[in-house]
């Protein structure tokens, strides 16, 4: 078995494509990709924050005070064209045509409503909310609320309420938020769910490429028959191939995590991620070991599956076609783990992959239940063992080997 393992490892190390996907891609490409995405996201957000929106205020003469507030706001500038957009439909058409970014319609009855003192006034804000980052409505809402506060204050004074009593009248009860969660728990809840999205697919990727070559690749090259003629049992042969795939799978995850840790440390050294690094500083080496230990049975499961698929496939291309649906099936339980009200308990601890995803999030948060982790190890080990046994029996069938 170990002779087969060493032989397959040597061949694996000679394969530049596999080395690229298992080592080079995690070390260089993924960190650069994440950094690029972060840069583009921050750049897009910054541009959206700095954007000056073109507005049109319908019936502006009815509220000259608000018109002045809007005119002198740094994030808005008035429409300079000659067209008039005095109705909601006209404002909609102007926004759709790109002539303005936002339109505000002050109702024609605004004067009489204000004079009525006790009537509620309805303004319409017309804009396109389909853009991914759009601050126009929040900015206008804040400005209108400020203007509304002025009207409210005037009405309260007219009713005989002194200005110093307005806050107590408008908001008799204030709420002070007292959060029992520390930084690690808060960031762990938000970011901890993303860690399985990175680690588990990498475990699968690290297993897929060598598995395709060690199964379907051997068939296509005609070297599988030569291996079967050697004085090695089929069980030893499949276990040797399995250990090679497992080593590649774990190496891919380890290289990626190490690479990301180095890049995060570099970013932290220049003060880019100080807040997050400070929050995760309490994640101990033991926690990382526990995450790695949880990934081991997952790696065994996935390595057994991809090897069984590769052995079944006739050609390298056919094996690649089978790996696509498997990747989607792996993502489903990870998605389940981030659904609302999903938590690690005695029930979810038995759901494959979902249990590991939930446990990793709880470890990052620092709230992991170690008894539930024990159940995960039992459930994962049983399934991993069953899949490995299936793979061995699968490899023993002539109808599978010589399709």
């Amino acid at each position: 078995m170990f002779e087969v393992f060493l032989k397959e490892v040597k061949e694996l190390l000679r394969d530049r494509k596999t080395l690229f996907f298992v080592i080079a891609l995690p070390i260089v490409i993924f960190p650069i990709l994440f950094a690029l995405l972060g840069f583009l996201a921050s750049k897009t957000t910054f541009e959206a924050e700095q954007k000056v929106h073109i507005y049109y205020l319908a019936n502006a003469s009815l509220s000259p005070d608000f018109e002045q507030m809007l005119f002198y706001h740094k994030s808005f500038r008035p429409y300079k064209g000659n067209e008039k957009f005095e109705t909601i439909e006209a404002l909609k058409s102007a926004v759709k045509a790109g002539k303005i970014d936002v339109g505000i319609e002050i109702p024609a009855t605004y004067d009489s409503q204000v004079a009525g003192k006790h009537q509620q006034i309805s303004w319409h804000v017309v804009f396109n909310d389909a853009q991914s980052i759009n601050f126009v409505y929040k900015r206008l809402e804040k400005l209108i609320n400020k203007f509304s506060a002025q009207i409210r204050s005037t009405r309260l004074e007219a009713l005989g309420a002194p200005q110093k009593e307005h806050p107590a009248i408008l908001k008799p009860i204030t709420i002070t938020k007292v959060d029992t969660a520390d930084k690690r728990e808060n960031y762990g809840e938000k970011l901890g769910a993303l860690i399985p999205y990175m680690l588990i697919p990498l475990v699968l990727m690290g297993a897929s490429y060598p598995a395709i070559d060690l199964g379907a690749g051997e068939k296509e090259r005609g070297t599988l028959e030569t291996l079967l003629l050697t004085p090695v049992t089929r069980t030893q042969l499949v276990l040797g191939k399995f250990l090679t795939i497992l080593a590649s799978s774990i190496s891919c995850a380890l290289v990626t995590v190490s690479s990301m840790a180095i890049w995060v440390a570099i970013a932290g050294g220049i003060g880019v991620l100080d807040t997050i690094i400070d929050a995760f500083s309490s994640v101990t080496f033991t926690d990382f070991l526990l995450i790695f230990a949880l990934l081991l049975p997952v790696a065994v499961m996935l390595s057994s599956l991809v090897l069984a698929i590769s052995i079944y496939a006739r050609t390298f291309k056919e094996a690649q076609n089978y790996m696509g649906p498997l990747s989607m099936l792996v993502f489903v339980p990870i998605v389940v783990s981030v659904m609302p009200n999903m938590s690690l308990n005695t029930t979810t601890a038995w759901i494959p992959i979902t249990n590991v995803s939930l446990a990793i999030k709880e470890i990052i948060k620092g709230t992991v239940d170690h008894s539930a982790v024990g159940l995960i190890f039992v459930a994962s080990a049983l399934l991993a063992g069953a899949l490995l046994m299936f793979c061995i029996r699968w490899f023993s069938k002539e109808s599978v080997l010589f399709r």
Side-chain angles (χ1 to χ4, degrees), residues 332-374:
V332 170
I334 302 176
V335 172
V336 170
S337 69
V338 297
M339 288 183 176
N341 297 324
M342 284 297 294
S343 59
L344 184 60
N345 51 48
T346 52
T347 302
T348 55
W350 292 94
I351 305 175
I353 298 180
T354 297
N355 53 9
V356 174
S357 300
L358 290 170
I360 291 174
K361 184 175 75 171
E362 294 294 328
I363 291 169
I364 298 297
K365 287 172 61 179
T367 58
V368 65
D369 181 359
H370 290 88
S371 61
V373 172

Side-chain angles (χ1 to χ4, degrees), residues 222-256:
T223 56
L224 183 60
E225 291 85 350
T226 306
L227 284 175
L228 293 173
L229 292 173
T230 58
V232 179
T233 65
R234 292 193 178 182
T235 299
Q236 291 174 328
L237 189 59
V238 72
L239 285 177
K241 290 179 177 292
F242 165 77
L243 288 176
T244 306
I245 296 167
L246 181 63
S248 173
S249 174
I250 294 171
S251 299
C252 184
L254 279 176
V255 167
T256 304

Side-chain angles (χ1 to χ4, degrees), residues 210-288:
I212 293 172
D213 186 65
L214 296 181
E218 294 270 16
K219 278 187 176 182
E220 200 167 25
R221 292 190 299 270
T223 56
L224 183 60
E225 291 85 350
T226 306
L227 284 175
L228 293 173
L229 292 173
T230 58
V232 179
T233 65
R234 292 193 178 182
T235 299
Q236 291 174 328
L237 189 59
V238 72
L239 285 177
K241 290 179 177 292
F242 165 77
L243 288 176
T244 306
I245 296 167
L246 181 63
S248 173
S249 174
I250 294 171
S251 299
C252 184
L254 279 176
V255 167
T256 304
V257 173
S258 302
S259 174
M260 291 300 292
I262 292 169
W263 283 103
V264 168
I266 293 171
I270 59 177
V272 176
L273 301 173
D274 284 347
T275 304
I276 296 176
I277 290 173
D278 180 55
F280 284 101
S281 60
S282 55
V283 180
T284 63
F285 181 70
T286 305
D287 293 328
F288 286 114

Side-chain angles (χ1 to χ4, degrees), residues 49-61:
E49 288 176 343
Q50 298 298 314
K51 182 179 179 181
V52 177
H53 306 284
I54 301 173
Y55 72 87
Y56 186 91
L57 184 60
N59 300 321
S61 60

Side-chain angles (χ1 to χ4, degrees), residues 139-174:
R139 287 170 177 166
L140 262 179
E141 185 181 34
K142 186 177 179 180
L143 195 63
I144 293 172
N145 285 339
K146 183 179 178 181
F147 181 68
S148 179
Q150 294 176 2
I151 297 174
R152 185 167 57 241
S153 181
T154 302
R155 288 183 175 183
L156 285 172
E157 286 182 358
L159 292 171
Q163 191 170 8
K164 64 180 181 180
E165 295 181 8
H166 292 181
I169 294 172
L170 296 173
K171 198 170 185 180
I173 298 175
T174 60

Side-chain angles (χ1 to χ4, degrees), residues 8 17 22 25 64 74 80-81 87 94 98 113-114 116 132 148 165 205-206 224 304 322 328 349 361 375:
E8 299 294 1
K17 184 174 70 174
V22 174
L25 197 65
K74 64 178 182 179
K80 298 295 186 181
T87 64
Q113 287 177 342
V114 172
S132 57
S148 179
E165 295 181 8
M205 188 185 75
L224 183 60
S304 302
Y322 291 146
M328 295 302 298
K361 184 175 75 171
L375 286 176

Side-chain angles (χ1 to χ4, degrees), residues 3 20 56 65 76 87-88 111 117 156 161 189 206 213 223 229 261-262 311 324 343 382 400:
E3 287 79 4
F20 172 78
Y56 186 91
D65 293 339
F76 295 99
T87 64
I88 293 177
D111 279 341
K117 303 296 184 182
L156 285 172
E189 179 64 30
D213 186 65
T223 56
L229 292 173
I262 292 169
I311 291 168
S343 59
L382 288 174
V400 173

